[in-house]
Amino acid sequence: QVQLVESGGGLVQAGGSLRLSCVASGRTFSRYAMGWFRQAPGKEREVVTVISGGGGYSYYTDSVKGRFTTSRDNAGNTVYLQMNELKLEDTAIYYCAASRVVHTSPSTYDIWGQGTQVTVSS
């Protein structure tokens, strides 16, 4: 069973950058699609990005296209989320999650990290 631990969140000014990391335990990391999701106070959890097991396919929600980049290092069991040009509306708890299928719905992901807070200030 894969377990996930995120890191890299914090407080940043609008226009700044952060890089989130998600380290997975276990030997089957490359078999999982990895998603980054976020949840702001009072809002539903939403998909940010998804990357396939081999890294050849990635999806970005419209609001982060051109600003965020997801990547993965299967040898190091790590997936990354590089966030540039951060906006106030990017403030949320960010979660990484693993799924056997490439999908954007949170319900298809059965392994979740604990989340990391990203706060963007003006």
Side-chain angles (χ1 to χ4, degrees):
Q1 179 78 344
V2 172
Q3 294 182 323
L4 306 173
V5 178
E6 302 103 332
S7 62
L11 175 65
V12 63
Q13 285 190 324
S17 298
L18 282 175
R19 189 193 197 200
L20 305 184
S21 300
C22 173
V23 179
S25 64
R27 301 179 182 179
T28 60
F29 178 68
S30 63
R31 298 180 185 176
Y32 290 86
M34 297 299 297
W36 285 98
F37 297 82
R38 65 187 180 187
Q39 188 164 19
K43 295 188 177 181
E44 293 186 354
R45 191 169 297 188
E46 64 172 355
V47 65
V48 178
T49 74
V50 175
I51 187 167
S52 60
Y57 169 82
S58 58
Y59 164 89
Y60 296 88
T61 196
D62 285 346
S63 62
V64 307
K65 285 180 180 176
R67 300 189 298 123
F68 290 12
T69 303
T70 188
S71 60
R72 66 189 296 161
D73 171 12
N74 284 343
N77 279 17
T78 304
V79 62
Y80 302 99
L81 180 63
Q82 177 67 44
M83 304 184 294
N84 298 329
E85 301 176 32
L86 282 160
K87 303 178 180 180
L88 296 179
E89 53 263 41
D90 294 319
T91 295
I93 299 174
Y94 283 71
Y95 301 88
C96 67
S99 173
R100 291 287 192 176
V101 296
V102 179
H103 207 283
T104 60
S105 170
S107 64
T108 62
Y109 290 75
D110 52 5
I111 304 170
W112 291 82
Q114 81 286 357
T116 186
Q117 177 70 48
V118 172
T119 302
V120 184
S121 65
S122 59

